């Protein structure tokens, strides 16, 4: 974090030909008020010292005994003030010593008083994967972030626990909207409730994602660290992004419902289901977590806490089980030893499916998604410049991956590495785990849902994007160099939908012939 902030400040000074102090003030003007924690750093930043030197001097970068000195930038050259990184640190530490003592009390961003309250809220939702603002306790909210309606269909009555998206209508919603799809009341022409007239027998169903950071749609805006594009507008979405854990589920491949503001376009399984049957409006849940591996109930108890489906009262659901990389991805030195084994995968996925069988309404469907082949990342990014390195052509993705690996915070040591053998072994394990999921879908039977398997459509997505004139690297998030981009998410939806239409049409349900009438009557009541 320190290296990122200091890099931006130094590049702002360079780009605007200003002092470091002026660049700091400029950045602080850009950032919304209570997030201006970086404004305490400026006295130690020197244009002659790169970000690695500054942050090690502040002792914000930890170095255990016997461990290498981690750095993002190439070490300073032997000049009159420097003879390598260690000598640069020796020169810098005296001037930073006083400031580093001040900073030690703020080793966590949550220690800053103005952010402490928000951090407590975020800790709550991280623990429970439930909306922070949920007054009736039905697991749905009228508030967008902090696991609110960006993640689940928007509640239409947060004072009544029996009113929420996805339930079967109460008395055909003749008097009020009990399932929040905007369809309620009685047709004065014949006295038949609109919900009964338009949605009875329509095979309504919701969509639920059990996923990892890719499913949550992790994204750090590149304009936050690209000084040539930076302005106050660049950081306008910072509060929202922070309180959504740097995830953007409202634009995601499975549960996206808003027009993308982070590039590309939004296309999602939910939007296509809603278009197919307007009665499905708001019936979505994104239960994803950054860093999740599999979903065993004993290790991921929030699955039982956060899944909102009543077996007797609610509509069936399409559940997408998609942990596409974290079973083989970790930041450990011995990464292979810390990967999920096929035996563990089988046991824990079956355990999670049994839990779902006891909670999902009859007629539901589960789709298991295979793991991605992450060699695509190194192959298409390693020699390209990261947003932090575009101004001076001094930081490639290869350098970023090595820096994160040194700090032992790499999102995937097995794929984000120059070691081709390790990359191949990681993909081999990913294929083994995908085969476990494929076999589960073939052999396991459950009472309340049928089960299907599909490969993660990375190859088809890349081919489709090439046909549209795009480059493969554009399918990867530019800042973290790891997650699928907005373009990849939208293209992946189209590919998945076509596969489902041809191979599992029963999963998607039939097209509602009354969609146009529903929109005509309830167009002002269908807001998100």
């Amino acid at each position: 974090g320190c290296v990122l902030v200091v890099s931006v400040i130094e590049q702002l000074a360079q780009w605007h030909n200003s002092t470091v102090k002026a660049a700091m003030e400029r950045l602080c003007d850009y950032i919304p008020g209570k997030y201006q924690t970086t404004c305490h750093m400026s006295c130690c930043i020197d244009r002659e010292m790169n970000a690695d030197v500054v942050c090690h001097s502040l002792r914000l970068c930890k170095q255990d005994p016997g461990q290498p000195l981690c750095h993002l930038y190439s070490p300073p050259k032997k000049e009159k003030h420097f003879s390598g990184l260690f000598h640069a640190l020796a020169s810098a530490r005296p001037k930073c010593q006083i400031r580093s003592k001040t900073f030690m009390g703020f080793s966590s961003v949550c220690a800053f008083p103005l952010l402490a309250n928000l951090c407590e809220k975020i800790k709550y939702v991280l623990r429970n994967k439930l909306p922070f603002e949920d007054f009736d306790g039905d697991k749905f909210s009228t508030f967008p972030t902090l696991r609110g309606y960006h993640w689940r269909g928007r509640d239409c009555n947060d004072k009544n626990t029996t009113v929420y998206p996805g339930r079967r209508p109460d008395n055909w919603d003749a008097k009020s909207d009990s399932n929040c799809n905007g369809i309620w009341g009685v047709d004065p022409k014949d006295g038949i409730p609109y919900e009964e007239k338009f949605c009875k027998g329509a095979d309504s169903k919701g969509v639920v994602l059990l996923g990892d950071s890719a499913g949550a749609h992790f994204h750090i805006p590149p304009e936050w660290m690209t000084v040539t594009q930076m302005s106050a507008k660049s950081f306008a979405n910072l509060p929202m992004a922070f309180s959504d854990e740097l995830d953007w589920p409202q634009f995601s491949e499975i549960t996206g419902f808003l027009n993308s503001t982070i590039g590309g376009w939004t296309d999602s399984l939910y939007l296509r289901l809603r278009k197919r049957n307007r009665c499905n409006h708001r019936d979505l849940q994104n239960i994803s977590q950054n860093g999740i591996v599999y979903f065993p109930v004993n290790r991921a108890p929030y699955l039982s806490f956060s899944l909102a489906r009543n077996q007797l009262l609610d509509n069936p659901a399409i559940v997408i089980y998609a942990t596409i990389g974290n079973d083989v991805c970790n930041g450990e030195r011995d990464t292979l030893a810390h990967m999920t084994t096929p035996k563990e995968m089988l046991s824990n996925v079956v355990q999670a499916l049994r839990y779902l069988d006891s909670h999902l309404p009859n007629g539901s469907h589960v789709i298991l998604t295979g793991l991605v082949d992450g060699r695509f990342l190194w192959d298409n990014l390693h020699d390209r410049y990261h947003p932090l390195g575009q101004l001076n052509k001094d930081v490639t993705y290869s350098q970023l991956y090595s820096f994160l690996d040194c700090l032992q915070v790499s999102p995937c040591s097995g794929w984000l590495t120059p070691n081709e053998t390790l990359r191949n072994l990681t993909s081999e394990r990913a294929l083994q785990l995908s085969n476990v999921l494929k076999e589960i879908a073939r052999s396991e039977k459950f009472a309340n849902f049928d089960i299907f398997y599909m490969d993660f459509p990375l190859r088809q997505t890349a081919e489709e994007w090439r046909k549209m004139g795009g480059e493969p690297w554009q399918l990867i998030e530019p800042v973290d160099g790891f997650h699928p981009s907005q373009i990849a998410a939208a293209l992946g939806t189209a590919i998945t939908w076509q596969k489902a239409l041809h191979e599992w049409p029963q999963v998607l349900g039939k097209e509602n012939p009354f969609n146009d009438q529903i929109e005509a009557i309830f167009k002002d009541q269908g807001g998100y």
Side-chain angles (χ1 to χ4, degrees), residues 367-371 452-457 492 495-496 499 504:
I367 300 174
L368 304 178
T369 302
L371 279 69
F452 305 91
Y453 170 85
M454 68 171 291
D455 290 320
F456 187 82
I495 293 167
T496 301
K499 179 180 177 64
W504 327 310

Side-chain angles (χ1 to χ4, degrees), residues 427-441:
S427 288
E428 183 179 321
R429 176 61 61 85
L431 180 60
Q432 292 170 357
L433 299 182
S434 294
N435 286 335
V436 169
L437 296 175
K438 190 180 297 186
E439 178 60 22
I440 290 172

Side-chain angles (χ1 to χ4, degrees), residues 52 56 61-64 66-73 85-86 330-333 397-413 416-418:
D52 294 317
H56 278 290
C61 292
K62 180 182 178 182
Q63 183 193 9
D64 291 329
Q67 295 298 318
L69 194 66
C70 302
H71 58 91
L72 177 61
Y73 296 89
L85 188 54
F86 284 98
N330 56 72
E332 301 291 340
R333 286 277 184 258
Y397 283 95
S398 177
Q399 288 171 263
L400 173 70
Y401 296 155
S402 295
F403 179 53
L404 297 176
D405 191 55
C406 179
L407 292 171
Q408 298 179 39
V409 295
S410 171
C412 197
S413 296
L416 309 183
T417 173

Side-chain angles (χ1 to χ4, degrees), residues 96-140:
C96 294
Q97 189 172 14
I98 296 174
R99 179 53 83 187
S100 70
K101 291 179 180 177
T102 304
F103 248 98
M104 290 308 289
F106 293 105
S107 57
S108 164
V109 68
C110 293
F112 287 91
L114 288 173
L115 292 180
N117 184 44
L118 179 58
C119 282
E120 285 305 310
K121 293 180 180 180
I122 292 175
K123 287 176 184 176
Y124 171 87
V125 299
L126 285 174
R127 282 195 307 268
N128 301 290
K129 298 294 171 286
L130 290 173
F132 186 81
E133 303 284 353
D134 178 17
F135 298 107
D136 59 10
D138 60 8
K139 302 182 181 179
F140 294 90

Side-chain angles (χ1 to χ4, degrees), residues 318-356:
I318 303 170
V319 178
I320 311 296
Y321 188 108
T323 56
I324 66 169
N326 286 350
D327 285 283
V328 296
C329 285
N330 56 72
E332 301 291 340
R333 286 277 184 258
D334 186 5
T335 182
L336 292 170
H338 289 82
M339 293 178 185
T340 302
T341 66
K343 184 178 180 180
E344 289 172 329
M345 192 75 163
L346 175 63
S347 172
N348 288 290
V349 171
V350 169
Q351 184 181 1
L353 291 173
R354 286 173 181 163
Y355 174 84
L356 290 174

